[in-house]
Amino acid sequence: MSRKILIVDDEEVIRKFLKIHLTKLGYEVQEAADGEQAIEQLGKDDFDLLICDVLMPKKDGWQVIREVKSNPKTKDIPVILLTAKNEDSDMFKGYDLGVNYYMTKPFTKAQLIYGLKLMFGETPGEIRA
Amino acid sequence: MLRWTAIIVTSYLILFSKGRVTDLHLSNILIFIYLLSNVLLSFFPKRWFSNLKLFYPLVLFDTGVVSFGMYLSEKMTTDFYLVFFLIIIFASISRNFKLLMVIGGITALLYGVLLYSWGLFTKEESSSYTLRIPFIFIMTAFYGYIVQTLTKEKRQELTISEDKYRGLFENANDGIILLRNPELRIADVNREVEKATQYTEAELLQKDVFALFAPEEVEKARDYLKEVAEKGGGRTDHLSLMKKDGGSLEVDFSIKRIDLGDESFYQLIFRDLTEQRKLEKKIRESKRNLEAIFDGIRDQVSIQAPDYRILRVNRAVVENYQITFEKLINRKCYEAYFRRSEPCERCPVSVCIETKQPASSIMKLSGDHTTLQIFSYPIVDEKGKLLSVIEYVKDVTQEQRLQEQLIQSEKLAGIGVLASGVAHEINNPLSGIIGMAEIALEEEDPSKKKSYLTDILECGQRINEIVKGLRSYSRAAKKEEFGQVDLNGVLEESLKMVQLAIKARSVEVIKEFQASERIQANLGEIQQVFTNLITNAFQAMDGKGGKLVLSTRALEDFVEVKVSDNGMGIPQKYLNQIFDAFFTTKNPGEGTGLGLNIVYRIVNKYQGTIDVDSKERMGTTFTIKFPIWRAET
């Protein structure tokens, strides 16, 4: 049974290429375009990883993470934070909230794989396959 | 009373010598005239007799009437007349009653001896001769009495009049010294002299008059006296006296020669000027101080009459125009300063003349790049009539330049914030490009590859848009010169830029652009105003979504712009501080505290106004008004 990942980003093109990469790596991927959608999907389904943007309409990344971490059902889901802001303060804020990994846009596939490896303690799909 | 007794006794003596009163003799008629005239005279006011011109004829008349009566009674001999007249004359001249009585007594005695030696007492009519002796004495007493009474009356009157003048003399506010001429001894002084010199009258009467002057002025005083002595007339000057304690006394001095009867005096009158001098000194000092302050002000200050004539200028004006003081005075200010034929437009002096209220304005001189701030302030008299206007001209070129620099640096800071926002905005499509490119490289399927490349292209175009927007913004920001600015366009542009920098897509933006009027301004600066305000509005809504209303409408002379958000609002306690420089509620490093201050400065620069209306948790509305640009202005 493949791992299930939720991508939350308001930027369509980012969701698109992340999905292609992750699918190729053998993960099951779901998308959400904003924070509210993300919470909704998290309630419906169980996920193994959350990849979340910070700046989003309606509910931003921080709020999503706070809700995830305060909900006993979802608090153990690892989180990779995506951000266009390359600022230390954001990074520390993220770690304080319980974010497991932090990726600054733009990022490459190699960075993504490294992050996944950290999260799951295994080399993702391709290598396994 | 005594006078009457004397008259009646005299009359009876005469009548007795004749014998019968009832005889209608001429001598009786004369006696009657004499009595009547004296009765009548007693009704005349006393002071008529003080006059000697009236007194002597009266005495002569009386004497004549009495003598004639005696002659008619044929009882008189020549020697008697002689003695009689001598006594009258002596009585008239002498004022000493006692001496007169002694003389009268001796004369009567001598006459008695004379008559006896002539053997007249033994004759038949001896009783008539015997009677002459007391008669002489009584006549002497009578005339002596009259003379003395009149003299006394005169003396009393003199005393009264002297008291009057003494009072005036003593109570005069000026010091008066009488000097005897020519020995120059002090004859009299009044109380004011005592008070002023601190010497008593007794001391003064013993003093040399020149010892009263300050040592260095003695010669001067001597010269004055000499001058008055030689040329006559009076002499007035300032001198200083020396008081008993050695202190000096500034006085206004006048010397005059006066002659009183045989005696000649110098009248020295002086008025203590010490207090007056002190006041004058104070006035002079305060005048000097004011002049020093006036001249010390490095900005140009001039005082204009309500008809624009220059009344006074300070040194800064003279130095600035390199012109002499005299060439400026009484010329119209607009001619002298600006070579114009009529008052300058928007001149605060004109405003002041019209309204009697202080005014100010900023003037940019076309020739050099000088900016002047001109203040005017009215001087009115107690009835509120405008006397003159103070014009205070401050060269604010440097200040203006600094302000522009401040605006510029704030703009740069703003661009910094913008740049980080823009970097973020670019990072999204850039991520897309990199991500999609990696996928495309691995993709074999041409159609899929094509779709990936299309995504890459789209991302590239988005980046292009952002860069274009940034460029137009920075171009506007760089623009220095004035122009007609369309506020709606500026709002659009600013909004776009802020949206790039702050990703808050859930903010609903409502635009209500109703004004098409333009304003005269520097585009970059106006853009800065609205970028700052819109940024603040977005920050106030803190990405939580909200409503931003941008509206413009034309009022009579102004274009009104409202930037309204429904964000967190400004706490009441901060409302009066928000436009202050370096006031910020943001964390250090997040805000400069200059944003709204710059907004305020720019709005002010264009004679606009800015108002804020805010309720906590309800939102904030900034209302800005700029004067409408019209072709003719």
Side-chain angles (χ1 to χ4, degrees):
Chain A
M1 194 188 105
S2 62
R3 295 180 193 274
K4 212 185 260 176
I5 301 176
L6 177 64
I7 304 167
V8 191
D9 198 315
D10 59 329
E11 197 63 58
E12 198 195 334
V13 68
I14 290 172
R15 293 202 305 271
K16 189 174 175 184
F17 81 77
L18 270 177
K19 190 178 179 179
I20 293 166
H21 279 314
L22 292 173
T23 312
K24 276 192 180 171
L25 290 170
Y27 297 104
E28 195 180 315
V29 177
Q30 283 195 23
E31 296 172 43
D34 60 54
E36 273 175 17
Q37 272 186 33
I39 296 296
E40 209 183 301
Q41 290 186 3
L42 281 163
K44 277 195 271 182
D45 233 323
D46 292 329
F47 292 96
D48 297 297
L49 178 68
L50 180 65
I51 298 177
C52 186
D53 187 20
V54 176
L55 285 173
M56 285 181 301
K58 289 175 190 171
K59 253 181 199 159
D60 66 15
W62 305 121
Q63 275 173 294
V64 172
I65 291 162
R66 249 181 234 120
E67 280 182 38
V68 166
K69 291 296 170 185
S70 60
N71 186 340
K73 194 188 153 214
T74 54
K75 70 177 168 50
D76 294 325
I77 302 173
V79 179
I80 293 177
L81 194 69
L82 286 183
T83 174
K85 274 189 186 172
N86 186 11
E87 276 173 29
D88 288 350
S89 60
D90 274 7
M91 206 162 81
F92 291 128
K93 187 177 174 185
Y95 288 137
D96 280 347
L97 287 174
V99 166
N100 303 78
Y101 188 54
Y102 185 96
M103 285 204 300
T104 309
K105 292 175 187 176
F107 55 89
T108 58
K109 187 182 172 189
Q111 277 170 298
L112 177 68
I113 289 170
Y114 177 75
L116 291 168
K117 201 170 155 187
L118 278 180
M119 294 301 105
F120 299 132
E122 59 184 28
T123 312
E126 247 180 338
I127 302 152
R128 201 175 43 179
Chain B
M1 201 51 210
L2 268 169
R3 192 197 286 193
W4 284 111
T5 317
I7 292 167
I8 291 161
V9 168
T10 317
S11 314
Y12 273 94
L13 276 173
I14 298 164
L15 289 172
F16 180 69
S17 59
K18 181 68 196 168
R20 290 190 305 275
V21 183
T22 45
D23 278 3
L24 198 68
H25 197 272
L26 184 61
S27 67
N28 287 4
I29 296 169
L30 276 170
I31 286 163
F32 185 71
I33 292 172
Y34 174 72
L35 277 171
L36 192 70
S37 68
N38 272 293
V39 170
L40 283 176
L41 277 173
S42 69
F43 290 104
F44 288 125
K46 259 185 189 172
R47 59 186 161 79
W48 285 19
F49 304 102
S50 310
N51 192 341
L52 288 177
K53 280 178 195 162
L54 215 110
F55 174 70
Y56 287 121
L58 186 70
V59 170
L60 282 174
F61 175 73
D62 279 2
T63 313
V65 169
V66 173
S67 309
F68 192 53
M70 282 180 172
Y71 172 76
L72 287 177
S73 64
E74 295 164 12
K75 296 275 168 46
M76 296 296 143
T77 47
T78 329
D79 53 332
F80 177 75
Y81 285 127
L82 194 68
V83 175
F84 185 60
F85 277 112
L86 274 173
I87 287 169
I88 290 174
I89 290 161
F90 189 74
S92 302
I93 295 166
S94 164
R95 287 173 190 178
N96 193 331
F97 185 59
K98 274 181 192 165
L99 185 67
L100 187 67
M101 290 314 288
V102 173
I103 292 168
I106 293 167
T107 317
L109 266 173
L110 280 174
Y111 189 60
V113 172
L114 202 68
L115 289 179
Y116 177 75
S117 65
W118 289 340
L120 287 176
F121 285 141
T122 53
K123 289 200 174 164
E124 215 175 292
E125 318 102 319
S126 65
S127 64
S128 118
Y129 288 108
T130 321
L131 269 176
R132 287 183 195 176
I133 299 162
F135 181 75
I136 288 169
F137 186 74
I138 287 166
M139 282 309 286
T140 315
F142 171 65
Y143 280 106
Y145 170 75
I146 288 178
V147 167
Q148 209 216 11
T149 309
L150 287 175
T151 315
K152 203 188 268 169
E153 278 169 6
K154 175 134 180 121
R155 200 166 276 164
Q156 259 171 8
E157 268 173 39
L158 264 177
T159 314
I160 291 168
S161 118
E162 200 197 306
D163 280 351
K164 242 192 295 187
Y165 287 103
R166 172 57 59 176
L168 289 177
F169 177 74
E170 286 296 351
N171 296 315
N173 285 326
D174 296 339
I176 305 172
I177 300 174
L178 282 182
L179 283 188
R180 249 175 243 290
N181 186 25
E183 58 269 46
L184 299 183
R185 287 209 61 82
I186 297 176
D188 205 351
V189 293
N190 69 349
R191 246 174 257 147
E192 189 61 31
V193 180
E194 291 181 278
K195 218 168 87 187
T197 61
Q198 298 168 340
Y199 290 107
T200 61
E201 186 175 351
E203 284 174 313
L204 284 165
L205 293 179
Q206 297 302 314
K207 254 187 124 54
D208 172 18
V209 68
F210 295 108
L212 290 177
F213 292 95
E216 66 274 13
E217 306 249 273
V218 172
E219 274 314 304
K220 212 161 137 191
R222 240 183 249 282
D223 288 347
Y224 290 162
L225 267 177
K226 213 157 109 196
E227 198 185 309
V228 173
E230 283 166 7
K231 296 181 187 162
R235 169 83 211 218
T236 308
D237 209 326
H238 299 309
L239 279 174
S240 49
L241 298 183
M242 196 166 70
K243 290 192 275 192
K244 192 178 184 180
D245 64 3
S248 83
L249 190 69
E250 291 284 324
V251 294
D252 223 348
F253 214 90
S254 84
I255 304 177
K256 208 174 188 177
R257 214 182 92 167
I258 45 173
D259 296 318
L260 301 171
D262 321 330
E263 294 181 289
S264 166
F265 295 92
Y266 288 112
Q267 185 192 40
L268 280 63
I269 300 183
F270 63 86
R271 175 166 291 184
D272 183 357
L273 289 178
T274 319
E275 280 305 306
Q276 200 179 330
R277 279 287 136 82
K278 269 187 203 159
L279 275 177
E280 277 172 15
K281 204 176 155 203
K282 253 185 210 163
I283 292 169
R284 269 201 307 274
E285 255 167 36
S286 105
K287 188 173 171 247
R288 242 200 317 272
N289 281 349
L290 281 175
E291 273 173 357
I293 292 167
F294 193 63
D295 275 337
I297 295 170
R298 297 315 300 147
D299 296 312
Q300 299 167 37
V301 184
S302 64
I303 300 175
Q304 262 98 272
D307 60 359
Y308 298 95
R309 266 185 313 109
I310 299 171
L311 300 176
R312 278 200 84 137
V313 295
N314 73 345
R315 195 169 299 196
V317 175
V318 175
E319 280 166 14
N320 184 64
Y321 290 96
Q322 294 181 335
I323 192 169
T324 59
F325 191 77
E326 290 73 24
K327 281 187 183 158
L328 283 172
I329 300 303
N330 273 329
R331 282 179 65 194
K332 307 258 178 189
C333 60
Y334 46 84
E335 279 172 19
Y337 297 152
F338 301 108
R339 294 196 188 83
R340 290 171 66 108
S341 55
E342 54 188 24
C344 313
E345 268 170 45
R346 295 196 302 143
C347 170
V349 175
S350 309
V351 177
C352 200
I353 290 168
E354 266 169 46
T355 64
K356 291 183 205 164
Q357 294 295 322
S360 87
S361 80
I362 289 189
M363 280 193 171
K364 254 196 159 85
L365 297 188
S366 44
D368 40 10
H369 295 284
T370 313
T371 310
L372 300 177
Q373 186 161 24
I374 303 175
F375 301 92
S376 61
Y377 195 87
I379 302 179
V380 291
D381 65 10
E382 57 270 30
K383 284 176 196 149
K385 188 174 167 265
L386 187 73
L387 297 176
S388 48
V389 179
I390 301 176
E391 185 182 18
Y392 185 105
V393 181
K394 199 173 174 177
D395 187 340
V396 289
T397 316
Q398 198 64 21
E399 219 169 85
Q400 204 86 351
R401 211 168 280 158
L402 282 175
Q403 174 147 336
E404 268 156 26
Q405 275 168 10
L406 187 62
I407 292 174
Q408 193 63 33
S409 54
E410 202 274 343
K411 204 180 328 183
L412 289 176
I415 287 171
V417 172
L418 206 68
S420 91
V422 169
H424 167 260
E425 191 65 7
I426 287 174
N427 274 342
N428 271 330
L430 196 59
S431 298
I433 289 171
I434 291 169
M436 291 317 259
E438 277 180 328
I439 291 167
L441 279 175
E442 288 168 11
E443 188 58 63
E444 302 294 330
D445 183 349
S447 72
K448 277 187 181 170
K449 215 172 199 165
K450 196 177 168 184
S451 124
Y452 299 153
L453 289 173
T454 314
D455 285 336
I456 290 172
L457 190 64
E458 259 172 36
C459 288
Q461 271 159 353
R462 265 178 57 197
I463 291 173
N464 183 33
E465 283 302 311
I466 293 165
V467 171
K468 249 204 280 191
L470 197 62
R471 217 164 34 208
S472 95
Y473 183 86
S474 74
R475 223 189 352 256
K478 255 190 260 164
K479 215 168 179 181
E480 290 290 328
E481 66 272 16
F482 274 35
Q484 282 80 57
V485 177
D486 165 32
L487 289 174
N488 301 345
V490 173
L491 282 169
E492 291 274 15
E493 197 84 6
S494 303
L495 177 66
K496 223 188 279 172
M497 276 332 287
V498 176
Q499 278 176 327
L500 275 184
I502 299 172
K503 195 167 181 181
R505 286 193 188 149
S506 55
V507 170
E508 183 192 354
V509 180
I510 300 165
K511 298 173 199 163
E512 293 167 354
F513 296 160
Q514 294 168 4
S516 55
E517 281 78 2
R518 287 160 179 262
I519 65 163
Q520 169 106 338
N522 174 330
L523 175 63
E525 287 178 354
I526 299 302
Q527 199 163 62
Q528 199 174 355
V529 167
F530 292 111
T531 309
N532 284 354
L533 289 177
I534 295 170
T535 304
N536 282 354
F538 272 98
Q539 284 170 344
M541 294 184 284
D542 202 18
K544 287 183 189 74
K547 201 160 89 176
L548 172 72
V549 183
L550 302 176
S551 69
T552 64
R553 64 183 178 133
L555 302 172
E556 202 175 323
D557 292 316
F558 291 90
V559 188
E560 183 191 76
V561 184
K562 277 185 198 275
V563 177
S564 183
D565 67 66
N566 60 352
M568 63 175 89
I570 303 164
Q572 189 68 33
K573 58 178 174 179
Y574 295 143
L575 268 181
N576 56 354
Q577 285 174 276
I578 56 168
F579 294 115
D580 294 352
F582 307 113
F583 175 80
T584 180
T585 55
K586 291 176 187 164
N587 295 324
E590 283 179 19
T592 57
L594 282 173
L596 280 178
N597 180 254
I598 295 295
V599 167
Y600 182 78
R601 281 164 189 266
I602 295 172
V603 170
N604 248 353
K605 182 177 167 182
Y606 296 112
Q607 273 95 37
T609 58
I610 179 163
D611 287 302
V612 60
D613 182 25
S614 185
K615 268 211 184 90
E616 249 180 298
R617 286 184 300 278
M618 299 291 284
T620 306
T621 302
F622 282 94
T623 307
I624 298 121
K625 289 177 190 167
F626 285 113
I628 292 178
W629 172 79
R630 296 189 203 282
E632 72 269 22
T633 53

